[in-house]
């Protein structure tokens, strides 16, 4: 290792180090001079790799993003960021959930989509993946799995424990075979024991004649016999899991939401909350902001005075952020602060040490959020008298500011074009029913809409 003993200006020199300004050269032992910059060949190599990368992304986006996801499959944060990048307008690549009949070890381009790789699924180890791939190919030919029982019968259960199978079910890897994940979870215990029993029989040489003949042959009445897996036990029928529960399971096993619960209300929520979390840093500190988010974590904190407050981790389709709930607000809204809840939140920006925090002042589950749509003709929207009359009705219905939580949205229809007008917080109302009635009495077309119904 060379020790720097002094820094001396030795005249002008060509440098290629980006962002470094003074003291490029160092005098070392015996009067030799060293430079802390890239030489031309090093810089050229970096530039060439950058060009290659940009070329691949521009011309082969599907293959490029699949390779990028595979290379970072062990880093959940990076995988999440790259998948979000896939959904942007300039790329628009769909990421398909894992599939026991199609997925491989890595992320794989299939058609116009990228198929999720087994290696990025939690609780699915290398031996389990190898067992799936080997069982799927018999004599070099792809033989798809027909059911959960067929899958358990063909894979090596020594490399595939019950936890692994449950993880594959919950992340959606069996959806193409059976979309009712709850049914598969209930079937698993019976099917797993059935498959283990068959594996023990085969190992001890006690397989039945149907196994030896391969099953599927005809009997004396020319009726085809059932395959072995068709006789596997099943649990009584149950209803499927709710979509939000499925999304929660996917996040638990993949590290993020593959089918984000906010996607279904993206369009309607943008009417109320045009600002996303990635844009918080661009907003003014004193502006009241609104965002539709998923609540990922709640950390309860007790102040020196003994009051309870909370620090939240929230995310939307654009990214994640930290939100702080001070004691007075926490006391009022703590009941809705549950992990995995979809919330609409209001608050302000706080900047400390170059970090942006959201100071939360109010929150409400999106399932209970209502908004009033007022349809206006161009003549109504452009007439001062009509505007004043509308404002008067809304202010009359506003009531207590803290209890006025129902936003009002104006829709101006002109031919095939619709313009959305968001009324300010001062025009929000307390009771949707009486407000709609008052607007209709005033000859305005108004209706109540749920946020989750679009």
């Amino acid at each position: 290792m060379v020790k720097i003993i002094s820094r001396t200006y030795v005249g002008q020199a060509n440098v290629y180090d980006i962002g470094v300004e003074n003291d490029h050269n160092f005098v070392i032992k015996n009067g030799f001079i060293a430079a802390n910059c890239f030489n031309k060949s090093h810089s050229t190599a970096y530039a060439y790799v950058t060009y290659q990368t940009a070329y691949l992304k521009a011309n082969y986006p599907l293959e490029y993003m699949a390779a990028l996801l595979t290379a970072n499959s062990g880093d959940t944060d990076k995988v999440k960021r790259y998948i979000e990048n896939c959904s942007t307008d300039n790329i628009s690549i769909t990421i398909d959930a894992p599939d026991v009949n199609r997925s491989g070890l890595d992320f794989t381009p299939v058609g116009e989509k990228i198929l999720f790789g087994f290696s990025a699924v939690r609780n699915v180890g290398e031996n389990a993946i190898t067992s799936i791939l080997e069982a799927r190919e018999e004599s070099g030919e792809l033989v798809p799995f027909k059911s959960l029982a067929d899958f358990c019968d063909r894979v090596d259960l020594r490399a595939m424990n019950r936890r692994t199978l449950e993880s594959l079910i919950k992340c959606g890897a069996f959806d193409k075979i059976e979309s009712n994940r709850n049914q598969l979870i209930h079937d698993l215990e019976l099917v797993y024991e059935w498959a283990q029993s068959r594996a023990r029989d085969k190992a001890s040489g006690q397989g039945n004649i149907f196994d030896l003949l391969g099953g599927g042959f005809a009997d004396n009445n020319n009726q085809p016999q059932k395959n072995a897996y068709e006789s596997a036990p099943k649990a009584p029928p149950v209803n499927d899991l709710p979509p939000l529960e499925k999304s929660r399971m996917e996040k638990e096993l993949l590290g993020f939401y593959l089918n984000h619960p906010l996607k279904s209300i993206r369009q309607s929520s943008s009417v109320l909350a045009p600002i996303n979390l990635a844009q918080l840093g661009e907003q003014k500190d004193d502006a009241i902001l609104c965002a539709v988010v998923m609540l990922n974590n709640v950390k309860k904190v007790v102040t020196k005075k003994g009051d309870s407050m909370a620090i939240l981790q929230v995310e939307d389709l654009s990214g994640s952020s930290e939100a702080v709930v001070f004691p007075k607000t926490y006391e009022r809204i703590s009941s809705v602060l549950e992990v995995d809840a979809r919330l609409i939140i209001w608050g302000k920006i706080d900047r400390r040490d170059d970090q942006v925090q959201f100071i939360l002042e109010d929150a409400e589950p999106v399932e209970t959020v209502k908004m009033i749509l007022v349809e206006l003709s161009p003549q109504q929207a452009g007439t001062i008298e009509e505007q004043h009359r509308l404002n008067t009705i809304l202010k009359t219905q506003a009531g207590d500011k803290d209890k006025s939580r129902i936003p009002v949205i104006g829709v101006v229809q002109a031919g095939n074009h619709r313009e959305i007008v968001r009324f300010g917080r001062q025009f929000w109302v307390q009771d949707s029913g009486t407000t709609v009635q008052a607007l209709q009495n005033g000859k305005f077309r108004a209706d109540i809409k749920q946020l989750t119904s679009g």
Side-chain angles (χ1 to χ4, degrees), residues 409-439:
I409 308 297
V411 181
V412 182
Q413 186 81 39
N416 294 326
H417 179 69
R418 301 180 79 201
E419 189 72 30
I420 302 297
V421 179
R422 301 176 185 88
F423 285 77
R425 187 73 183 266
Q426 69 273 24
F427 294 107
W428 288 20
V429 298
Q430 187 170 336
D431 186 281
S432 57
T434 57
T435 300
V436 167
Q437 188 61 55
L439 288 167

Side-chain angles (χ1 to χ4, degrees), residues 272-276 279-292 344-351 356-362 425 428:
L272 292 183
I275 303 299
N276 57 45
Q279 299 170 319
L280 289 183
E282 305 168 10
Q283 311 306 312
K284 296 180 180 179
D285 292 358
D286 57 349
I288 296 179
L289 304 175
C290 175
V292 175
I344 181 167
I345 60 176
W346 294 268
K348 297 180 180 179
I349 294 299
D350 179 56
R351 289 182 173 85
V356 176
Q357 285 184 328
F358 193 90
I359 307 301
L360 196 145
E361 297 180 347
D362 204 354
R425 187 73 183 266
W428 288 20

Side-chain angles (χ1 to χ4, degrees), residues 209-248:
I209 191 171
F210 302 119
D211 294 328
L212 296 175
L213 295 175
F217 61 89
D219 60 15
N220 292 333
N221 297 320
N222 291 323
Q223 295 296 320
Q225 292 280 349
K226 289 184 177 181
N227 288 300
Y229 65 84
E230 293 183 60
S231 62
K234 283 191 173 186
V238 293
N239 293 326
D240 200 1
L241 299 166
L244 283 178
E245 179 65 12
K246 288 185 176 182
S247 295
R248 186 194 64 76

Side-chain angles (χ1 to χ4, degrees), residues 264-283:
S264 61
I265 58 171
R266 179 191 305 186
Q267 187 173 3
S268 55
S269 63
S270 65
V271 174
L272 292 183
I275 303 299
N276 57 45
L277 294 182
Q279 299 170 319
L280 289 183
E282 305 168 10
Q283 311 306 312

Side-chain angles (χ1 to χ4, degrees), residues 131 151-153 155-161 165 192 195-197 199:
S131 176
F151 181 89
C152 291
D153 194 37
V155 300
D156 184 356
L157 293 180
R158 293 170 297 180
M160 185 85 57
N161 59 33
L165 286 163
Y192 190 75
Q196 280 187 318
S197 176

